[in-house]
Amino acid sequence: QELLGTYLRYARQYAHPRLGRAARDRIKAHYMRKREAAHQAAGQIAVTPRHLEALIRLSEARARAELRRAVLLSDVEDAIEILTAGADFEEQLPDEPVHKGKSKANALAERLKQQMQRRARQTGSAEFRLRDLRALAGPAVKDEEFDKAIQRLNEQENALLIKGSGSYEYVGAR
């Protein structure tokens, strides 16, 4: 532990990496692509300059950990992977807490609705196949609970319309 502490102090004091041309270009391209995607997908959370700053800081930290003077393209790729993994993890979190006292089917219906809203915002498409909905529900969900949740979303909440064989459209709460 003492060696690690000494290494970190040394890195903080002496390693001050700068962005190289390739790293700068990759950060710019990634940021512009994310901004463009955010503009095209209505309702998706906008990509802010904070995202850009986080990408730069993570890239520099990655280079600093290896005591380099320049940020390499591989450092930027690692930082992008970290931010993407964090966004994917956030996607799996429910928007609202699931309240105790709800039946499993009702809680599942709420969770599915939140995930469908999120996916529709991200992709711009509100169409779902039955197997996609089943995957969103997760493997631990029993078929009976899943069927009740789909039925509730379709018949009681009018949030999910049957389009065809195994195909649904999320229309939200009407």
Side-chain angles (χ1 to χ4, degrees):
Q1 273 195 341
E2 191 175 319
L3 178 62
L4 178 62
T6 303
Y7 182 83
L8 292 175
R9 281 191 300 279
Y10 182 87
R12 256 188 239 121
Q13 187 172 0
Y14 296 107
H16 303 288
R18 301 278 179 214
L19 289 174
R21 165 70 61 204
R24 200 173 319 132
D25 290 345
R26 178 64 177 111
I27 288 173
K28 180 181 175 183
H30 174 75
Y31 180 70
M32 296 304 287
R33 186 176 48 79
K34 294 292 274 184
R35 289 217 27 114
E36 182 66 28
H39 287 297
Q40 289 177 354
Q44 185 175 3
I45 298 171
V47 176
T48 64
R50 280 185 172 215
H51 183 84
L52 177 62
E53 292 168 354
L55 187 54
I56 292 169
R57 279 194 311 274
L58 285 170
S59 299
E60 289 174 345
R62 175 79 172 78
R64 186 177 298 116
E66 295 188 7
L67 302 175
R68 280 192 263 108
R69 292 183 178 173
V71 176
L72 303 176
L73 186 59
S74 62
D75 298 323
V76 175
E77 293 298 336
D78 289 344
I80 289 171
E81 186 178 337
I82 290 168
L83 290 174
T84 303
D88 291 346
F89 178 74
E90 182 184 8
E91 217 177 271
Q92 297 170 358
L93 297 174
D95 291 334
E96 301 169 12
V98 177
H99 301 289
K100 290 186 176 182
K102 288 186 178 182
S103 72
K104 288 182 180 181
N106 288 350
L108 177 60
E110 287 297 316
R111 198 171 80 230
L112 282 171
K113 193 163 48 167
Q114 290 172 5
Q115 291 176 343
M116 285 187 290
Q117 286 171 345
R118 187 176 291 126
R119 177 99 30 105
R121 279 194 313 257
Q122 289 176 338
T123 64
S125 173
E127 290 188 30
F128 295 89
R129 307 232 12 108
L130 186 61
R131 67 175 176 264
D132 298 332
L133 295 173
R134 189 68 179 105
L136 287 174
V141 175
K142 295 178 183 174
D143 288 337
E144 182 180 328
E145 292 168 11
F146 176 75
D147 292 340
K148 284 181 183 178
I150 296 296
Q151 184 178 7
R152 176 183 173 83
L153 288 170
N154 179 256
E155 295 175 3
Q156 294 175 3
E157 295 188 23
N158 295 322
L160 193 62
L161 298 179
I162 299 173
K163 290 191 73 174
S165 176
S167 180
Y168 295 87
E169 180 179 359
Y170 176 72
V171 292
R174 287 187 172 183

